[in-house]
Amino acid sequence: MDDDLIKRDFDLSANNFLALPSRAEYFCAALTQEMLMQALLFAREQGVAIKIIASGSNVVLPEKISGLVISPGMQGIVKRGDRLQVSAGVLWDDLVKESIERFGLAGLENLSGIPGTVGAAPIQNIGAYGVELSDCFGGLVAINLKTHERHQFDAAACQFSYRNSVFKHPAPAQYIITEVEIALPQIQAFKPCLDYADLRNAVAGGQDSHSPQAIREAVLQLRYSKLPDPVMQPNVGSFFKNPVINLSAYNSLIKKIGPVPNHIEGSFRKLSAAWLIDQLGLKGFRVGGAQVSNQHALVIENAGWASFDDILALTRKVQQAVMEKFYISLQPEPVFFNGDPIS
Ligand SMILES: Cc1cc2nc3c(=O)[nH]c(=O)nc-3n(C[C@H](O)[C@H](O)[C@H](O)COP(=O)(O)OP(=O)(O)OC[C@H]3O[C@@H](n4cnc5c(N)ncnc54)[C@H](O)[C@@H]3O)c2cc1C
C-alpha cells in the first residue's frame, strides 16, 4: 500500500460540515486523475467498497465507515467557447466567481455562496433563488467504480429533478464524477432570474443592479444574513427538501389549517419546509447534541456533542411531528452514510 496516497483509520471529523465524529477505514485525497486511478485499483485489490466525500457539506456520517473514502480534489477550469470544463475538486463558489470575473459569463450568479465542490453539484442538482444546476448544465464525465470505465452523461441521462439526480442515493456510490461541463450565455445575452422577491428587493435600486456581479453580491449578502455559519454552528444547510404536493392535497391542507405559504409549480404547490417546522415551535428543539437551529427552522445543527444517532433521531422526530400535524412527509436533503435510505 502507498502510505502517502492511502491513509488508514482516517479521522473525518474535519471533513464533514456537521463535525460528527467519524473515521474511515481507508482514505485517499485524489488530487489528480492518476491518484484517483491508483485509489480505485487499491480498492479493487483489497476488495473494499468505495464511498465519496468531497467537502462534506451535505453528508451525515456514522462513527465508522468501512472501505475506502475518496475525496476528489482534481483542479482546473478550461473555457471552450461558451462552455466551461471544470474538474470535480474545484470549489463551486470559486467557479461562480471565476465565471463572472475571469470569463465574462453570466448565469451562475444566483447559485453564489453554495458550499461544496463542482463534482458534487450534479448529485442533488444544486439550486437557489430560482436557478438550478440543470439550467446551465452541459454534461459530465464520471468513472464507473467497478469497471473503471469513463462515461459521458448528458442532462437527460442525469435525470435531474428538484434536489435529485440519478446519482443521489446512500453510499456506496456507483460512479465518481471527475468533470462537469457548464454551458452559459455571454453577459450580453444574459437575462437575470429575479423570480424570488427577496432577491428582487435586495438588488432593486442599486447601481447596475441587474448585472451578474450585483446579483452575486446580493445573493451572498442574503445567504450570510439568513443561514447560520457552519463554522460556528456545524450544519449542512437546508436539512429537508421543500415538499411539493398536488393541488387536491394542497386544498385539503388549507381547509384544515388555513393559509399556507406556497410557490406555484405548474399543477403542484411547493411548500416551505421551514415554515411547517416553525409552526410547530421546533426551533431550538434538541435530541442529544442535535438541535433545530434557533436562527432557521430548516437547519439542524451539531450543538457540540452530536452523534450520527442524535441527528437521525432528531430527523425522525421532526418528520413525525410534521406528519402528525400537516399529513406531509418531509424528505431529508443530505445523504445519510448508513447505507439505509431514510424517508
Ligand atoms: C450552509 C450551507 C448552505 C447550503 N446551501 C445550499 C443551497 O442553497 N442549495 C443546494 O442545492 N445545496 C446547498 N447546500 C448543500 C451542499 O452545499 C451541496 O449539496 C453541495 O453540492 C455538496 O458538495 P460537497 O462537495 O460538500 O459534497 P459532499 O457533501 O461531500 O457529498 C454530497 C454527496 O455527493 C457525493 N459526491 C460528492 N462528490 C462526488 C463526486 N465527485 N462524484 C460522485 N459523488 C460525489 C457524496 O458521495 C455524497 O453522496 C448547502 C450546504 C451548507 C452547509
Side-chain angles (χ1 to χ4, degrees):
M1 182 191 355
D2 179 348
D3 282 341
D4 287 339
L5 183 70
I6 310 285
K7 315 277 183 219
R8 199 188 268 270
D9 190 26
F10 188 82
D11 182 359
L12 291 168
S13 52
N15 296 54
N16 74 98
F17 275 47
L18 271 168
L20 294 176
S22 178
R23 299 191 85 86
E25 187 181 6
Y26 299 107
F27 177 82
C28 171
L31 305 180
T32 62
Q33 289 278 349
E34 222 170 58
M35 290 166 92
L36 174 61
M37 294 319 292
Q38 281 180 41
L40 298 187
L41 287 175
F42 169 83
R44 183 181 275 174
E45 278 162 22
Q46 299 290 317
V48 295
I50 294 174
K51 284 142 195 175
I52 301 160
I53 299 175
S55 302
S57 66
N58 212 27
V59 291
V60 184
L61 302 185
E63 247 174 66
K64 285 198 166 35
I65 300 185
S66 57
L68 172 66
V69 168
I70 298 180
S71 177
M74 299 80 81
Q75 297 295 313
I77 306 178
V78 176
K79 182 171 185 283
R80 296 219 163 86
D82 61 355
R83 296 197 164 215
L84 298 177
Q85 269 147 6
V86 193
S87 299
V90 171
L91 287 179
W92 174 263
D93 194 52
D94 287 352
L95 168 65
V96 177
K97 187 169 187 286
E98 296 257 300
S99 69
I100 300 170
E101 295 179 6
R102 181 167 147 214
F103 299 114
L105 295 167
L108 294 184
E109 56 287 335
N110 290 43
L111 302 177
S112 293
I114 298 180
T117 55
V118 168
I123 305 294
Q124 70 160 9
N125 182 25
I126 57 167
Y129 295 103
V131 174
E132 293 183 327
L133 174 74
S134 53
D135 296 321
C136 45
F137 179 78
L140 65 77
V141 177
I143 294 173
N144 182 307
L145 295 173
K146 281 220 169 86
T147 63
H148 299 185
E149 279 166 2
R150 205 169 169 267
H151 293 270
Q152 310 247 13
F153 287 74
D154 61 12
C158 292
Q159 296 175 29
F160 291 126
S161 59
Y162 167 59
R163 298 295 184 276
N164 210 359
S165 76
V166 72
F167 302 105
K168 189 167 178 184
H169 46 69
Q174 275 177 282
Y175 289 97
I176 184 162
I177 296 169
T178 56
E179 199 178 302
V180 178
E181 188 176 84
I182 304 286
L184 294 170
Q186 298 289 332
I187 282 181
Q188 297 82 330
F190 153 72
K191 285 199 200 85
C193 172
L194 297 172
D195 294 353
Y196 276 65
D198 281 0
L199 182 56
R200 215 166 37 243
N201 296 337
V203 294
Q207 205 192 7
D208 195 16
S209 61
H210 290 183
S211 71
Q213 187 61 43
I215 296 172
R216 170 170 167 77
E217 278 158 25
V219 168
L220 289 175
Q221 234 5 76
L222 281 171
R223 296 182 71 93
Y224 293 139
S225 66
K226 280 189 172 175
L227 293 170
D229 178 355
V231 176
M232 307 305 288
Q233 283 124 352
N235 75 81
V236 286
S238 304
F239 203 88
F240 296 99
K241 297 184 193 183
N242 287 323
V244 179
I245 59 176
N246 64 31
L247 206 54
S248 92
Y250 172 75
N251 286 335
S252 47
L253 182 66
I254 55 174
K255 226 180 193 174
K256 268 185 220 116
I257 64 161
V260 177
N262 68 92
H263 198 260
I264 299 170
E265 309 232 322
S267 57
F268 292 86
R269 300 291 173 118
K270 190 190 268 179
L271 310 182
S272 157
W275 186 87
L276 298 173
I277 297 167
D278 210 5
Q279 291 304 296
L280 295 165
L282 288 175
K283 273 186 182 162
F285 180 67
R286 251 187 209 180
V287 175
Q291 166 174 327
V292 178
S293 164
N294 278 308
Q295 190 181 333
H296 199 304
L298 199 50
V299 175
I300 285 183
E301 299 168 347
N302 177 354
W305 60 96
S307 63
F308 176 89
D309 287 345
D310 292 345
I311 302 281
L312 187 59
L314 179 58
T315 305
R316 290 191 168 138
K317 290 261 184 217
V318 173
Q319 286 178 313
Q320 197 183 343
V322 169
M323 177 54 82
E324 278 168 13
K325 171 87 181 175
F326 302 111
Y327 312 99
I328 285 178
S329 159
L330 282 189
Q331 303 298 316
E333 195 178 296
V335 178
F336 279 70
F337 269 53
N338 61 349
D340 297 316
I342 92 160
S343 58

